[in-house]
Each structure stands twice: as structure tokens, then as C-alpha cells.
């Protein structure tokens, strides 16, 4: 085993790797960018080296600096985590040339799976079923159109260099093929510098089921499957293992196909073979097709760990250090069921818009495994992925594990930034999902009901108001001391952009009536603390003028000055501003052009994703301030419309 390894990553995965290293007595070296100097992974590691900069290109993608850091600190091996340099074969070669061990597959195995077309050809040769389609060299648009017709619509156009759901277009009708091809190519060129595509039959009612494999360079085993069908924009949201409805025959067939795929490329370390499954008619042993192989540890690896009892990072270290595979296929078994939910700083109703901000408060329940790279007080910066944590649970059955997931999400407390927490909660309670009835279109179809915010309950608002005013702690509120008696106090708060006037009236010792708009909530203090209309109080976090109440949904109650509210009413619809710092990918309009409400005016790229900026009303473009390719700050005005009165 190594004495010291360097972790070439940040965030939760760097922390996850350090956890296992500590358990095995391996010393760890962290690397970090300037903005991450105080990050959790830096604090956890035995030693840390600064890479400088903020953007990945200036920091976590600097292979040479990372190798130099390993040499300077006496590390014998480099763990790449996921993302960044984890699937970069040139980096693997440079690490090896420096006399260090790369904890992962060989450069040639990564290259073999790096492009989707070549990977599919290789897999077909190895006898692994691949999605029917065209993955040849001829990129002539006319030829591609003929191939698409032969495959039969609907078809999916995919960038061969694609990843993260980019460069992919679903085409339903022959008439839409040319425009779909053009936009897929444009996105692929921008994101990967390679606009070659392949075409696949679009599987309707598809499920995404992937198999965890582990190889020693010659032989491989599989650690069963994960179902990652709950996706939005082709990105995973909740994952589970095993897959609901999986049969013995299909599991064996998929496991064997995945092992064949890994052995065909002499795979070493942890990898994932992703399959698309036709779920329209139950799971059948002949109804799965290879999509791609991810040659790294995957974000969702914990669900596999919880059902198999294997620490995959430990296996990675042991095999990289030259030990044989820790166990044989027949020694691996599945125990119970596991779920992982990805907690992101993002505004779901605004179209899953990534958010930034300071995590004023962050707490997870003991009952769940929370893999995280941040603590209370840390900042979600615009430079990296906005994931806050992965909330992972295990239970003896799917039903029990899902109940534990719901509870763990309800007991996860985040204040200071918007999150997808209530969306995750709604998903975990969704009937179809609860029944194991999943496909990759579920979130898209049910989006409206999943984000329909149940109106914030007056009880939560009342609790926030009482806490902000400090009455919940005031002894006189408890003993009825005359100070507040019968004295009505008016407090104006804002909740989700809604201004809510409230009134507090003390009725007696430990008895306060809180009027929230027209509803009266009775706050009463008893042996077990405060109750609101008879219900026990929720946890509350207060900072400055805001109280975050962690009820069945997280509710932020902010004290406002009633005068400011009136002055600030009615924001301008003339200005199109950057909702977050990012790169202006494309501007679609010019001064003088007429636009209609909902028109796409520009695309901003930030945090791994592209965001369309839409016109809030009809009007004429007065001025375009944004240039293609410009880096802009949050709030920067990109486009101005002619004001309505003009
Ligand atoms: P996975 O495919 O492993 O489930 P995701 O779909 O979330 O992972 O992410 C897709 C890819 O985006 C990852 O494999 C990685 O390349 C990149 N990525 C994810 N998280 C980060 C991060 N924190 N920093 C940089 N890149 C990331
Ligand atoms: P990426 O490299 O971006 O992860 P994948 O090829 O793995 O791209 O596809 C991402 C997702 O797109 C899959 O998880 C699945 O939901 C969907 N998808 C991919 N191929 C097909 C297909 N042929 N039919 C239907 N859905 C597909
Ligand atoms: Mg994929």
C-alpha cells in the first residue's frame, strides 16, 4: 500500500477519498485553487499545495503543477476523483512518465472509451449489445440523414466526444433532422472542439441502468447495477441500487456484458458501463444496449457501496498498489437497497438555475450518509459544480430505504442559498417512483407537479416571525409579564418575494397569537417548548434579518422595512441581466430588432450548464451590451429593451 497519495480534485469526492485514506493509514496531500484555500478537503488532508487561480483551467486542470506537487510532497500515487483530469489519457501518461502511479485505468483503456463511436464499435466486436444506429466515419449531412431514415424516427443525435448531456438532440421527424444536426454540432464544437456525431435509435420509455465494474488490468468483476433513470436534462438526480424490477437473468446478462466490456480493454480500477434499457414492457434479458463507459469512479458509487459492503476507494487504492482483486464474483452479494439524492444549490422553478451563495447553515441527519465537501459558512462559488452534498441511505428493502430517504431529506437543513431540497422531497414522495415505475422522462413529464410549491404554511411563517422578533426567548412572553400584554406588534416580512404583514398579540403567559395575512396562528408555550396551532416547533436558523424555518419545506422569513417594500415595487423588465457569473455563449438579437415575450435572447454558460435568457415582454431591442465569449459578473446588464413609454 502507498504511504502518501495526492488527490487531484476538490469538493465531496476529494473528502470521500481522504476518508478512506485515513482509515487505511495513508497520508494525503490535497491541492487547491485560491478560492478553495480554506475548503473542507484542504482542512481534512495531511498537507495541502496551492495551485493558484480560481477557474479549473488555472487550477485543477494544471496537470504539470499537480505532478510537481506530488513529487515535492513525496506522494507515490495520484487519485483523480471524477471530472477534471480523471479521464484524460495524456495526464495518465505524464503521471506515469514522472514515476508515479495513476489510481485508475491505463491511458489506452481511457482512449478506447473516450469517443462514443469508437467505443460502440469496439463493444459490438466484443459481443456487447449496442444501441442500434450509425457510428461510422462518414459525417456528410446527406449521408447522416439517410442513415437516420434507415434507423427509423425518433432518433438521437449524439456528439461522439459528448459528456454531461451536451451535444445531444432528439429528432422526432425527418423534417427536423437538418436543424437538429446543426445545433448538436454547434454545441459539440463549442464544448468539446469536435463536432463529429453518431446517430442512435431513440429508445422510448428508456431506463438508464449501469453496471459497476472493477478490473485488475486483466480480469474484471461486476458489483451489480444502479438505476439512474431519474434525470433532468440528461443529468442524474436520484440514483438507486439495485434497479427496481431487475430479474436474475437480466442482471446476469448485463453483468456479464459489462465484464466483457471491461476485459476487452484490459480495464484496471473502478469503472461504469452505462446501458440504456427499454422499459416499455418490463425488464427483459435481451432489452439492454451499451451506451458508453465512464472510466472513473462515478458520482453515484456510494449506492453500490451500501448494498455490497465494499469500499470502492479502498479497492482502487489496493489494486493501484499492485494487489489482486479483493474478491471473486461469487463472493459478491447484494444486501438491501440504497438511494442517493444529489443536493444542489439551484433554483428549480427557475429552470434548475445553478445558484451561488454562502451556506449560512448546513446540517445532515445522523441516519443518512452525507458525502459533502462543504461546511456551514462555506461558499458555493460560480467556478465549480454547485453540488452541496449527496444524501445516501440504506434499508433492508426498497420501501424502507425510500422512507429513510424522505426522512433524511426532511431533516437536511440548508440556509443561505436556494437548493433543490424540496424538489428532491417531492420526487421521493412521487407515487410512480415509489412504485418503482421509473423512466428517464419521468421528471420532464411531472415537472409541474414536482415543483408546485405547496403554499408556505402560515405556521412556518409565524414561527419565523416570532423568532425574528425574539419573543420565543423572552421570559415575559412566558410569564405574561405586563410588558407585552395586549400590546399588538406589527412586523412586515417577505417570504418567497411575497410581502406578508404580520401582527403579534400576547394573550397571556406563553400565549401569543400571530396573524399572518388573514390567518391567526396560536403560539403556545408548554412543557415541551412552543407549539404552533398544536404542532411542535420546527428547527430555525437565524442570521441577520432572516429566519430559515426547516418545516416540511424550507421557508425563509425575512424582516423588511415596509417603506422599502413600496419603493422597490415593480422591477424593470427593460433589462436582461446575467443571473449569475458566466460566459456569454451567444447573443441572438441586435439593436432595433423586435422581440416577443419568451424569445431566447442569449445563452449564458455557467457551472457546467447553458442557460437561455428570455425576453420578459414584447418590445424592441435598444442596445446589446454583451459580446459573444465575454465573461460577465452576476447582475451585468446584457441587453436593454426600448422602455415601454418611449
Ligand atoms: P456521473 O456521470 O458520474 O454520474 P455527472 O453526470 O454528475 O456524473 O457529471 C458528469 C461529469 O461532469 C462528471 O463525470 C465530471 O466529468 C463532471 N463533473 C461533475 N462534477 C464535477 C465537479 N465538481 N467539478 C468538475 N467536473 C465535474
Ligand atoms: P453523456 O455522455 O452525456 O452521459 P450518454 O450517452 O450517457 O451521454 O446519454 C445520457 C442520457 O441520455 C442517458 O442517461 C439517457 O437518459 C439518454 N439517452 C442516451 N441514449 C439514448 C437513446 N438511444 N435513447 C433514449 N435515451 C437515451
Ligand atoms: Mg452517460
Amino acid at each position: 500500500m502507498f504511504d502518501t497519495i495526492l488527490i487531484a480534485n476538490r469538493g465531496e469526492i476529494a473528502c470521500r477519498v481522504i476518508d478512506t485514506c485515513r482509515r487505511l493509514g495513508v497520508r494525503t496531500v490535497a491541492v487547491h485553487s485560491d478560492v478553495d484555500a480554506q475548503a473542507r478537503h484542504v482542512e481534512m488532508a495531511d498537507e495541502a499545495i496551492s495551485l493558484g487561480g480560481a477557474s479549473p483551467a488555472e487550477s485543477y486542470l494544471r496537470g504539470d503543477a499537480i505532478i510537481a506537487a506530488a513529487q515535492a510532497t513525496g506522494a507515490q500515487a495520484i487519485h483523480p476523483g471524477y471530472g477534471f483530469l480523471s479521464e484524460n489519457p495524456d495526464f495518465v501518461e505524464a503521471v506515469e512518465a514522472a514515476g508515479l502511479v495513476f489510481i485508475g485505468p491505463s491511458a489506452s483503456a481511457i482512449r478506447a472509451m473516450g469517443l462514443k463511436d469508437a467505443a460502440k464499435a469496439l463493444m459490438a466486436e466484443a459481443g456487447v449489445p449496442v444501441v442500434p444506429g450509425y457510428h461510422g466515419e462518414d459525417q456528410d449531412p446527406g449521408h447522416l440523414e439517410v442513415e437516420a431514415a434507415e434507423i427509423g424516427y425518433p432518433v438521437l443525435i449524439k456528439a461522439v466526444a459528448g459528456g454531461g448531456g451536451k451535444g445531444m438532440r432528439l429528432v422526432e421527424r425527418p423534417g427536423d433532422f437538418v436543424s437538429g444536426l446543426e445545433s448538436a454540432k454547434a454545441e459539440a464544437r463549442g464544448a468539446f472542439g469536435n463536432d463529429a456525431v453518431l446517430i442512435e435509435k431513440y429508445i422510448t420509455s428508456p431506463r438508464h441502468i449501469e453496471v459497476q465494474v472493477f478490473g485488475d488490468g486483466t480480469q474484471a468483476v461486476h458489483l451489480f447495477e444502479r438505476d439512474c433513470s431519474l434525470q433532468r436534462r440528461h443529468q442524474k438526480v436520484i440514483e438507486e441500487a439495485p434497479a427496481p424490477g431487475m430479474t436474475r437473468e437480466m442482471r446476469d446478462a448485463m453483468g456479464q456484458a459489462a465484464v466483457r466490456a471491461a476485459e476487452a480493454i484490459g480495464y484496471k480500477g473502478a469503472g461504469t458501463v452505462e446501458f440504456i434499457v427499454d422499459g416499455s414492457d418490463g425488464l427483459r434479458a435481451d432489452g439492454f444496449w451499451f451506451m458508453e463507459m465512464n472510466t472513473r469512479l462515478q458520482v453515484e458509487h456510494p449506492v453500490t457501496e451500501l448494498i455490497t459492503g465494499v469500499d470502492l476507494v479502498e479497492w482502487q487504492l489496493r489494486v493501484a498498489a499492485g494487489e489482486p482483486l479483493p474478491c471473486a464474483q461469487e463472493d459478491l452479494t447484494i444486501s438491501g437497497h440504497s438511494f442517493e439524492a444529489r443536493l444542489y444549490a439551484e433554483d428549480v422553478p427557475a429552470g434548475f438555475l445553478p445558484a451561488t451563495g454562502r451556506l449560512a447553515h448546513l446540517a445532515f441527519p445522523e441516519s443518512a450518509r452525507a458525502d459533502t465537501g462543504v461546511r456551514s459558512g462555506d461558499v458555493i462559488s460560480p467556478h465549480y459544480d454547485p453540488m452541496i452534498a449527496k444524501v445516501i441511505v440504506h434499508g433492508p428493502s426498497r420501501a424502507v430505504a425510500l422512507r429513510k430517504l424522505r426522512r433524511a431529506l426532511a431533516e437536511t437543513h440548508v440556509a443561505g442559498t436556494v437548493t433543490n431540497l424540496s424538489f428532491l422531497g417531492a420526487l421521493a414522495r412521487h407515487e410512480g417512483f415509489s412504485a418503482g415505475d421509473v423512466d428517464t422522462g419521468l421528471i420532464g413529464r411531472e415537472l409541474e407537479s414536482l415543483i408546485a410549491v405547496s403554499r408556505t404554511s402560515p405556521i412556518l411563517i409565524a414561527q419565523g416571525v416570532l423568532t425574528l422578533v425574539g419573543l420565543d426567548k423572552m421570559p415575559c412572553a412566558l410569564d405574561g409579564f405586563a410588558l407585552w400584554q395586549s400590546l399588538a406588534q406589527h412586523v412586515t416580512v417577505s417570504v418567497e418575494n411575497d410581502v406578508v404583514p404580520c401582527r403579534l398579540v400576547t394573550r397571556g403567559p406563553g400565549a401569543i397569537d400571530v396573524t399572518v395575512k388573514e390567518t391567526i396562528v396560536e403560539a403556545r408555550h408548554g412543557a415541551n417548548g412552543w407549539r404552533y396551532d398544536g404542532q411542535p416547533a420546527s428547527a430555525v436558523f437565524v442570521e441577520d434579518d432572516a429566519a430559515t424555518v426547516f418545516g416540511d419545506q424550507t421557508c425563509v422569513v425575512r424582516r423588511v422595512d415596509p417603506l422599502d417594500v413600496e419603493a422597490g415595487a415593480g422591477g424593470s423588465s427593460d433589462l436582461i441581466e446575467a443571473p449569475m457569473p458566466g460566459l456569454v455563449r451567444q447573443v441572438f438579437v441586435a439593436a432595433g430588432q423586435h422581440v416577443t415575450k419568451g424569445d431566447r435572447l442569449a445563452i449564458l454558460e455557467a457551472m457546467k450548464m447553458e442557460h437561455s435568457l428570455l425576453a420578459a415582454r414584447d418590445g424592441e431591442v435598444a442596445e446589446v451590451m454583451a459580446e459573444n465569449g465575454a465573461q460577465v459578473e452576476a447582475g451585468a446588464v446584457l441587453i436593454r429593451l426600448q422602455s415601454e413609454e418611449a
Side-chain angles (χ1 to χ4, degrees), residues 146-218:
V146 171
E147 291 287 347
E150 210 152 286
I151 295 163
Y153 286 85
V155 298
L156 194 61
I157 303 173
K158 277 189 194 176
V160 301
K166 280 192 184 167
M168 221 151 64
R169 288 293 180 280
L170 168 63
V171 183
E172 316 239 20
R173 282 174 301 272
D176 298 340
F177 184 82
V178 174
S179 68
L181 180 65
E182 275 166 14
S183 71
K185 276 180 170 295
E187 194 170 293
R189 220 176 293 129
F192 315 112
N194 174 351
D195 70 357
V197 298
L198 58 81
I199 301 170
E200 278 180 2
K201 174 91 197 139
Y202 184 72
I203 311 293
T204 42
S205 255
R207 284 175 63 176
H208 173 120
I209 300 181
E210 57 186 35
V211 178
Q212 175 71 53
V213 292
F214 208 98
D216 65 3
T218 316

Side-chain angles (χ1 to χ4, degrees), residues 292-491:
E292 65 165 346
M293 179 165 182
N294 294 320
T295 50
R296 53 173 156 90
L297 190 68
Q298 200 106 343
V299 176
E300 58 274 20
H301 74 277
V303 293
T304 299
E305 297 188 319
L306 293 193
I307 62 159
T308 57
V310 168
D311 177 335
L312 284 166
V313 175
E314 177 182 344
W315 278 33
Q316 286 189 298
L317 295 177
R318 289 171 61 177
V319 167
E323 291 182 33
L325 280 178
C327 73
Q329 190 67 58
E330 46 292 2
D331 303 330
L332 290 162
T333 51
I334 297 180
S335 155
H337 204 99
S338 177
F339 287 96
E340 169 184 285
R342 298 188 187 192
L343 176 62
Y344 282 99
E346 68 182 7
D347 188 343
V348 176
F352 298 97
L353 199 65
T356 54
R358 189 174 146 269
L359 295 164
H361 176 75
L362 179 65
F364 301 101
E366 289 286 321
S367 58
R369 164 174 163 184
D371 283 12
T372 182
V374 285
R375 305 147 296 196
S376 283
D378 284 349
V379 168
I380 300 290
S381 88
H383 304 289
Y384 317 106
D385 189 86
M387 188 157 76
I388 298 171
K390 306 184 303 201
V391 177
I392 310 141
V393 296
H394 180 262
S397 65
R398 187 174 191 271
V400 173
L402 190 53
R403 259 203 315 276
K404 288 176 80 171
L405 178 67
R406 289 182 197 129
R407 179 142 187 189
L409 291 170
E411 292 174 355
T412 295
H413 295 168
V414 191
T417 169
V418 291
T419 72
N420 63 343
L421 199 50
S422 63
F423 172 71
L424 292 173
L427 257 182
R429 289 188 301 270
H430 183 270
E431 258 181 54
F433 176 51
S434 301
D437 206 355
V438 290
D439 70 86
T440 60
L442 185 143
I443 290 181
R445 281 193 308 273
E446 310 272 320
L447 196 56
E448 230 166 279
S449 67
L450 289 170
I451 62 181
V453 265
S454 42
R455 279 196 55 75
T456 310
S457 97
I459 290 182
L460 297 184
I461 299 177
Q463 195 182 336
V465 170
L466 219 63
T467 316
L468 281 175
V469 172
L471 267 184
D472 62 326
K473 292 202 189 63
M474 205 75 87
C476 52
L478 304 184
D479 62 18
F481 189 65
L483 190 59
W484 298 102
Q485 193 113 32
S486 303
L487 202 73
Q489 190 179 352
H490 290 268
V491 181

Side-chain angles (χ1 to χ4, degrees), residues 9-13 56 60-61 82-87 163-165 208 210 226 228 234-236 239 272 274 292 294 296-301 340 342 344 383-387 608:
N9 214 300
R10 65 179 303 280
E12 69 87 14
I13 193 62
Y60 300 101
L61 290 174
Y82 54 72
F84 299 127
L85 295 167
S86 62
E87 294 177 277
H208 173 120
E210 57 186 35
R226 294 184 285 256
C228 310
H234 308 296
Q235 299 262 328
K236 300 157 188 168
E239 302 101 340
T272 296
E274 295 192 335
E292 65 165 346
N294 294 320
R296 53 173 156 90
L297 190 68
Q298 200 106 343
V299 176
E300 58 274 20
H301 74 277
E340 169 184 285
R342 298 188 187 192
Y344 282 99
H383 304 289
Y384 317 106
D385 189 86
M387 188 157 76
K608 259 178 76 184

